[in-house]
Amino acid sequence: MTRGRVIEQTIEFVKQTLADAEGGHDWWHVFRVWQLSTRIAETEKASLLVVELGALLHDIADSKFHDGNEELGPRKAREFLVSLGVEEAIIEQVEMIITHISFKGGNETQQFRSLELDIVQDADRLDALGAIGIARTFNYGGFKNRELYNPDIKANLSMTKEEYKQSTAPTLNHFYEKLLLLKDRMNTPTGRMLAEQRHRFMEVYLAEFYKEWNGEC
Ligand code: ADP
Ligand code: NI
């Protein structure tokens, strides 16, 4: 199968798999991460096929929507890529991206790194930032029926992976527990540059949010 055909088939597979996904983790999230990944990869000497397949398949079975099962995503991706006849070395690298991409509270040591993972992880993190990041965060909070904000519930920056996954805190806390930490954790120069821009936008947004909350404007 040609490279172009592999990508086309993968897009179809992802669209079908994510047909009922929450709005922040749907095909359009994957589409943005795929576009950002190819943009970041332009200035890196990475395997573009691994980057593209990793980006397209990174959220096909996100563990937080599958009872915490972290093996399902990589396994489904492997089965699919085997069915297309993709070579084993590529499949292994894609599996590693899916397994290790997640933030998980940020206090776990990441067990694996590759240039391709660095790129897709940056792209996924960028989609958590800026105007899109804000939209996704409130969408997820709504999906989980969380409060928008509660001045009595403070952000918790020292959560373990389990606590992070089980948190039911107000959506505004997620900005402090994850989103505002991301700009200092970017892997690539392009990722860092784009993250700084999106970070500033979120700071402006939060300042305005508190002003309105307190009736100051
Ligand atoms: P990770 O597993 O790497 O933290 P997620 O898939 O959980 O990545 O996060 C993707 C996006 O989903 C977040 O950037 C945010 O927009 C939204 N999200 C995830 N968890 C929460 C949460 N507890 N509150 C609000 N939004 C969340
Ligand atoms: Ni994602």
Side-chain angles (χ1 to χ4, degrees), residues 95-106:
E95 268 184 316
M96 292 304 262
I97 291 177
I98 303 170
T99 304
H100 296 281
I101 193 169
S102 177
F103 179 72
K104 301 188 182 100

Side-chain angles (χ1 to χ4, degrees), residues 25 62 64 101-104 128 133 136-137 140-141 146 164 171 174 178-179:
H25 291 83
D62 188 327
K64 69 177 151 319
I101 193 169
S102 177
F103 179 72
K104 301 188 182 100
R136 292 180 68 216
T137 302
Y140 186 84
R146 305 266 169 83
Y164 175 77
T171 298
H174 195 68
K178 175 180 176 189
L179 309 186

Side-chain angles (χ1 to χ4, degrees), residues 32-69:
R32 293 186 302 266
V33 171
W34 175 43
Q35 305 278 292
L36 281 166
S37 294
T38 51
R39 176 168 171 197
I40 296 169
E42 278 171 19
T43 50
E44 307 286 338
K45 289 192 181 64
S47 156
L48 194 57
L49 182 59
V50 171
V51 167
E52 288 193 66
L53 291 176
L56 288 169
L57 293 165
H58 85 276
D59 266 338
I60 44 165
D62 188 327
S63 63
K64 69 177 151 319
F65 301 116
H66 292 87
D67 300 322
N69 186 342

Side-chain angles (χ1 to χ4, degrees), residues 22 24-25 29 58-59 62-65 101-106 121 124-125 127-129 132-142 144 146 159 164-175 177-179 182:
E22 175 264 320
H25 291 83
H29 162 63
H58 85 276
D59 266 338
D62 188 327
S63 63
K64 69 177 151 319
F65 301 116
I101 193 169
S102 177
F103 179 72
K104 301 188 182 100
Q121 192 172 50
D124 195 34
R125 287 176 171 175
D127 206 55
L129 302 180
I132 300 252
I134 294 168
R136 292 180 68 216
T137 302
F138 283 104
N139 197 74
Y140 186 84
K144 292 280 186 181
R146 305 266 169 83
M159 283 188 282
Y164 175 77
K165 288 203 292 195
Q166 282 160 22
S167 168
T168 56
T171 298
L172 252 261
N173 292 21
H174 195 68
F175 285 79
E177 289 164 358
K178 175 180 176 189
L179 309 186
L182 291 179

Side-chain angles (χ1 to χ4, degrees), residues 2 18 26 39 49 62 69 87 127 150 153 180 207 211:
T2 64
L18 295 179
D26 60 358
R39 176 168 171 197
L49 182 59
D62 188 327
N69 186 342
E87 65 179 278
D127 206 55
N150 183 335
I153 304 178
L180 294 170
K211 276 209 251 168

